[in-house]
Amino acid sequence: MDADTANLELGVIGNCQIAGLIDAQGSLIWACIPRFDAEPAFSRLVDTRDHGHFSIKLQDQCDATQSYRHNTAVLCTELTDRSGGVLRITDFCPRFRQYGRYYRPVMIIRRVEVVRGNPVIRTRLRPSMGWDGGRPATTRGSNHVRFMRRDQVLRVTTDAPLTHVLDETPFMVDGTLTFVLGPDESVKESVDAMGRRFLELTETYWREWTRSLAIPFEWQREVIRAAITLKLSAYEDTGAVIAAFTTSIPEAAGTQRNWDYRYCWLRDAFFTVHALNRLGATRTMEGFLRYIINLVAAGGEPSLQPLYGIGGERRIDEETADALAGYRGMGPVRVGNAAYHQQQHDVYGTVVLAATQAFFDERLERPGDRSLYHRLCALGEQAARLYDQPDAGIWEYRGRARVHTYSAMMCWAACDRLRRIADRLGLDAEARRWKKQAATMHQRITAEAWNEERSAFTETFGGDTMDASLLLMHELGFLTADDPRFVSTVEAIEQDLRRGDHLFRYAAEDDFGYPENAFNICTFWFVDALHAIGRGDEARQIFCKMLEHRTRLGLLSEDLDPHTGELWGNFPQTYSMVGLINAAMHLSRPWEEAL
């Protein structure tokens, strides 16, 4: 992958412990080990130098195709040479049930097999090991090589000829080769046998998982791929859900809007959990609730940050990795995210909404109880105190603080859902208290955020600018879909933020100038809002056009250039995949009507 041809036509593999990104030619160009937010072992995605990747080059190659094995996170790349020879590279991270738990090692397996002919390959195994992009020291054994740099050790065990692999000399492939990438641990069996067995077990796991999903009748493949991607974003050890697997893919070319998304934003995690819940996959929600409870218990205070490390870390100091040139040379490459300092008051509603289903879903092994309710009450009290106070808002403005309508609305949602939970638990006095609090907040928000001249709710109390997040007023139950105020707000947002068939988050100038690209989740929110207010045909049309902007493997990043359709921003973005799932669920014909 050359710097000037880099793009986001990437496949993601993972196992809820680590993840890797594979480009269209079958090169591993991004992987952080031993967990999502660790230092990269392969960093070619955000650098311009010819290392930080594991490439398998086919001599005289003339074509490359790529696809996932049906309903799995197993990626296959087929390379064809001019003589008609075909080589298949199968990439995956093992994940399967073993000894009553899920086995998800820090391991990437690459299997290289001949489909046809006598292909000749050259391997380039060039890990970068760390944010300085340094070249590691190496030691080799008879069937493995160790790459070492400071505290990082990457071991690659293989049945390929190590001399050819390390010297990068061409050799003919006459059978199946297996590469096992992971920590400095010996492989106790044949790597071929282990690779084949792990592949079969991993495929079985994913197919059983997808078989349990309650998918819509239409757009089944699109929804399944989005759901698998969301599942991969969950760090199973703690229950955290990351926003994306990458750092510093610019929101738009040359803007320095480069951020590290490899952490758990409570807001993004809620949207992910909610989308998976709608498909019937509730384990991610149960893990996320465990993560939240541990955060609250460890903090000792009811205040919440907008994001945390996947291990619950509270400090995520932001630095730049100056040795890495950036995606297409568009630095900086940021490590950490200073937004953890911010006040974003919507997080209180986010957490309560994420937990609400636990009190109503009889399928759960550990349903919500009074103990969980009382923990949530402390967050509800914070929401009631802060709903009309300035914050950085959902879009994380770094240079200003205002009373943002979306934040206020989410604080209202916290109190409203606590009223429902208290009612469910038979706590009548508590339910009445939360109902009164929510009514007071609702009345204040509708008075302060409504702009009579615009006939719309605006981004901030007393403001006049539009914010795409207010398209969620109906979804959150703040207003009904047929409320004229909601309809006119949708129309005002459309007037100010729509660019062709895409939506911007906002149009006003921020800390980095004016936004240049559309925000994909906002386009999906617009689709949902159009459907809700009776413009269903238009909603379907825009949704189908959005599907055309996915990569060939069915994935989406955060942003999109409305003029060229090119994807920008961190990848794959959970927000965007959530939007796809929710819109498909809203728009699809019911199974009962279709069959």
Side-chain angles (χ1 to χ4, degrees):
M1 182 184 71
D2 298 327
D4 56 352
T5 60
N7 58 57
L8 295 180
E9 283 290 347
L10 307 172
V12 60
I13 58 172
N15 61 1
C16 303
Q17 173 69 36
I18 61 170
L21 293 180
I22 313 291
D23 74 10
Q25 302 299 315
S27 297
L28 174 63
I29 61 171
W30 180 257
C32 297
I33 292 175
R35 63 185 214 176
F36 298 139
D37 59 356
E39 289 189 306
F42 297 92
S43 58
R44 181 66 180 81
L45 179 64
V46 291
D47 203 3
T48 55
R49 293 168 293 181
D50 191 19
H51 66 273
H53 61 92
F54 180 8
S55 303
I56 299 170
K57 301 294 185 181
L58 176 64
Q59 187 170 287
D60 294 325
Q61 180 182 323
C62 62
D63 191 29
T65 60
Q66 203 169 52
S67 63
Y68 282 105
R69 294 274 183 94
H70 182 61
N71 289 355
T72 74
V74 176
L75 183 66
C76 293
T77 308
E78 291 196 355
L79 308 177
T80 303
D81 65 27
R82 291 188 176 87
S83 301
V86 179
L87 188 81
R88 179 183 298 131
I89 306 169
T90 301
D91 289 296
F92 68 100
C93 297
R95 179 177 173 83
F96 49 86
R97 192 81 173 171
Q98 180 175 265
Y99 306 129
R101 57 185 182 271
Y102 289 107
Y103 180 64
R104 40 179 172 74
V106 179
M107 182 183 294
I108 295 173
I109 295 181
R110 313 200 77 191
R111 285 176 61 80
V112 181
E113 56 188 318
V114 178
V115 177
R116 186 170 61 249
N118 299 290
V120 175
I121 66 170
R122 184 196 303 265
T123 62
R124 292 177 178 167
L125 179 54
R126 302 177 179 179
S128 49
M129 312 290 283
W131 293 113
D132 61 1
R135 297 181 183 274
T138 61
T139 63
R140 59 176 291 179
S142 56
N143 296 103
H144 74 269
V145 58
R146 298 164 73 232
F147 298 91
M148 301 166 292
R149 185 164 175 82
R150 296 193 298 273
D151 295 332
Q152 277 188 303
V153 178
L154 175 69
R155 182 181 182 123
V156 180
T157 304
T158 183
D159 51 8
L162 266 184
T163 297
H164 291 315
V165 170
L166 295 179
D167 292 349
E168 301 184 355
T169 54
F171 65 97
M172 187 179 72
V173 181
D174 55 6
T176 299
L177 305 176
T178 302
F179 296 86
V180 179
L181 289 71
D184 192 18
E185 299 173 359
S186 299
V187 175
K188 302 295 186 182
E189 60 181 300
S190 157
V191 290
D192 176 64
M194 188 184 80
R196 187 185 314 111
R197 179 167 58 88
F198 280 14
L199 176 60
E200 292 173 356
L201 290 169
T202 300
E203 286 186 326
T204 298
Y205 164 79
W206 284 111
R207 286 174 179 152
E208 289 179 351
W209 186 81
T210 56
R211 193 178 299 123
S212 70
L213 298 177
I215 57 176
F217 176 76
E218 297 180 85
W219 306 296
Q220 294 182 35
R221 292 181 181 178
E222 293 85 345
V223 168
I224 288 172
R225 180 53 49 203
I228 290 174
T229 307
L230 294 186
K231 177 65 175 175
L232 291 175
S233 70
Y235 183 64
E236 194 164 79
D237 187 51
T238 63
V241 180
I242 60 172
F245 296 109
T246 60
T247 179
S248 303
I249 309 300
E251 293 180 12
T255 60
Q256 296 197 3
R257 296 175 185 264
N258 302 6
W259 313 112
D260 190 351
Y261 278 10
R262 301 168 305 130
Y263 308 106
C264 183
W265 270 259
L266 300 184
R267 178 191 313 112
D268 300 48
F270 158 67
F271 281 113
T272 297
V273 164
H274 183 59
L276 289 175
N277 284 350
R278 298 183 72 167
L279 297 173
T282 58
R283 286 191 179 275
T284 303
M285 175 187 67
E286 293 178 275
F288 183 54
L289 286 179
R290 184 179 75 249
Y291 176 76
I292 291 172
I293 291 170
N294 288 335
L295 287 178
V296 174
E301 297 179 0
S303 60
L304 292 173
Q305 298 174 189
L307 69 148
Y308 295 85
I310 61 176
E313 298 86 358
R314 283 169 158 71
R315 291 193 60 174
I316 313 173
D317 294 331
E318 186 176 300
E319 302 173 346
T320 59
D322 296 329
L324 301 178
Y327 177 76
R328 295 190 193 172
M330 299 177 188
V333 174
R334 289 190 170 93
V335 183
N337 199 301
Y340 84 91
H341 287 295
Q342 292 184 351
Q343 294 293 315
Q344 297 176 26
H345 299 155
D346 65 293
V347 294
Y348 299 100
T350 290
V351 171
V352 174
L353 263 65
T356 298
Q357 183 166 336
F359 293 88
F360 295 87
D361 194 332
E362 296 290 347
R363 297 171 298 174
L364 302 185
E365 295 178 6
R366 299 181 62 185
D369 55 16
R370 292 194 178 193
S371 175
L372 177 57
Y373 165 74
H374 288 303
R375 290 183 183 273
L376 296 176
C377 282
L379 303 181
E381 297 291 353
Q382 282 286 89
R385 281 194 293 270
L386 296 172
Y387 82 100
D388 58 355
Q389 298 301 305
D391 73 346
I394 182 176
W395 307 126
E396 300 185 341
Y397 293 108
R398 292 196 170 197
R400 74 178 203 206
R402 299 177 184 173
V403 182
H404 290 93
T405 304
Y406 177 80
S407 296
M409 186 169 61
M410 287 296 287
C411 288
W412 164 85
C415 298
D416 177 72
R417 295 330 188 260
L418 285 168
R419 184 263 305 171
R420 301 184 196 185
I421 294 169
D423 190 56
R424 171 78 168 181
L425 295 175
L427 302 172
D428 296 340
E430 289 280 290
R432 288 193 297 271
R433 179 171 71 89
W434 287 118
K435 181 178 181 179
K436 180 180 179 181
Q437 179 63 57
T440 300
M441 296 164 70
H442 194 283
Q443 183 178 23
R444 175 87 189 279
I445 295 167
T446 53
E448 297 284 353
W450 178 256
N451 185 301
E452 194 65 41
E453 292 183 4
R454 298 296 312 268
S455 294
F457 287 98
T458 56
E459 179 186 25
T460 59
F461 281 18
D464 60 3
T465 56
M466 293 297 110
D467 176 357
S469 67
L470 300 186
L471 293 167
L472 295 173
M473 297 182 105
H474 159 61
E475 286 284 326
L476 293 170
F478 191 82
L479 295 177
T480 60
D482 59 358
D483 189 312
R485 295 172 297 175
F486 178 65
V487 175
S488 60
T489 297
V490 172
E491 292 169 347
I493 290 172
E494 178 179 19
Q495 178 182 339
D496 284 17
L497 304 182
R498 184 173 179 177
R499 305 290 187 274
D501 289 318
H502 307 283
L503 234 70
F504 279 47
R505 291 172 287 181
Y506 50 86
E509 187 175 14
D510 62 17
D511 316 303
F512 292 84
Y514 289 95
E516 297 181 21
N517 283 344
F519 205 71
N520 290 326
I521 184 64
C522 296
T523 303
F524 287 120
W525 288 344
F526 183 54
V527 167
D528 295 336
L530 289 180
H531 174 70
I533 65 175
R535 294 165 60 181
D537 291 343
E538 189 177 355
R540 287 180 71 93
Q541 182 182 37
I542 296 174
F543 177 69
C544 290
K545 288 184 177 179
M546 274 299 295
L547 294 181
E548 295 174 2
H549 290 294
R550 296 174 304 141
T551 66
R552 288 189 291 268
L553 293 171
L555 307 179
L556 284 167
S557 65
E558 180 185 57
D559 308 276
L560 182 147
D561 186 323
H563 304 292
T564 67
E566 183 176 7
L567 294 174
W568 289 88
N570 281 311
F571 181 91
Q573 175 79 354
T574 55
Y575 250 169
S576 301
M577 308 313 290
V578 163
L580 187 158
I581 291 172
N582 289 340
M585 297 289 281
H586 285 134
L587 296 174
S588 175
R589 287 179 295 158
W591 281 85
E592 294 79 9
E593 292 182 10
L595 300 178

